[in-house]
Amino acid sequence: MTRQNKSAQVEWISNVLNDNEVLVVMENKGLTVAEVSDLRVKMREAGGGVKVVKNRLAKIALKDVDGGDQTAELFKGPTFIAYSEDPVTAPKVVVEYAKTNDKVEILGGLMAGTAMNAAGVTSLSKMPSREEVIAQIVGSLTAPAQNVAGAIGAPAANIAGCLKSMAEKEDA
């Protein structure tokens, strides 16, 4: 790898750290190319990415980042990273993938300047995603409006029911 390629790789890792909310570091324990491709496809569909990086270059990129010192310690042996703008997406995909494939070991990660261990990444994966939180908020905002509409319409429905009952009595 030329010096220019190395500096481009460090710059790319720095951009990933700046542009994404979360970075997950994993150990590759013998994944095949097909398995790595499968993980990449799953991550891309979810809105994230996976990349194999050189440990030394990742450590250089992490020097100027909050929590980077602790995260840099994770880069030993064959490692690769997963990243996403949503802080929950990458951990969810990686944890689900690691459950089905024992060749992937989650080492830890970095989120908002805070280094995490493997348990932290697993805990983060259990949180609702941004879309799920938005759906919950929208649901809680529309529920009162539906209740008001039901309360306003209830007296009219009661009156209509009473009039119908009175009409049935007169006919009988």
Side-chain angles (χ1 to χ4, degrees), residues 33-77:
V33 173
E35 291 170 328
V36 173
S37 295
D38 182 42
L39 177 58
R40 281 186 173 133
V41 167
K42 288 179 181 182
M43 189 65 73
R44 196 175 313 119
E45 289 172 353
V50 173
K51 177 109 171 129
V52 177
V53 295
K54 287 191 156 288
N55 293 342
R56 191 175 76 245
L57 300 178
K59 290 176 182 180
I60 292 170
L62 286 164
K63 280 184 182 177
D64 300 329
V65 177
D66 291 338
D69 293 337
Q70 295 96 342
T71 307
E73 295 171 5
L74 302 174
F75 287 92
K76 295 176 185 166

Side-chain angles (χ1 to χ4, degrees), residues 85-166:
E85 289 181 14
D86 182 6
V88 179
T89 299
K92 273 188 191 239
V93 173
V94 169
V95 167
E96 285 301 314
Y97 192 79
K99 285 180 185 177
T100 61
N101 194 327
D102 59 348
K103 296 177 187 174
V104 173
E105 181 182 348
I106 300 169
L107 300 175
L110 180 69
M111 183 182 85
T114 303
M116 298 180 291
N117 58 13
V121 173
T122 303
S123 296
L124 190 59
S125 73
K126 295 176 184 174
M127 295 179 68
S129 68
R130 184 178 293 158
E131 290 78 21
E132 292 170 340
V133 170
I134 290 171
Q136 290 172 353
I137 291 170
V138 169
S140 65
L141 291 175
T142 59
Q146 291 172 345
N147 292 341
V148 169
I152 290 172
N158 290 341
I159 291 172
C162 291
L163 292 175
K164 182 179 178 184
S165 297
M166 291 171 55

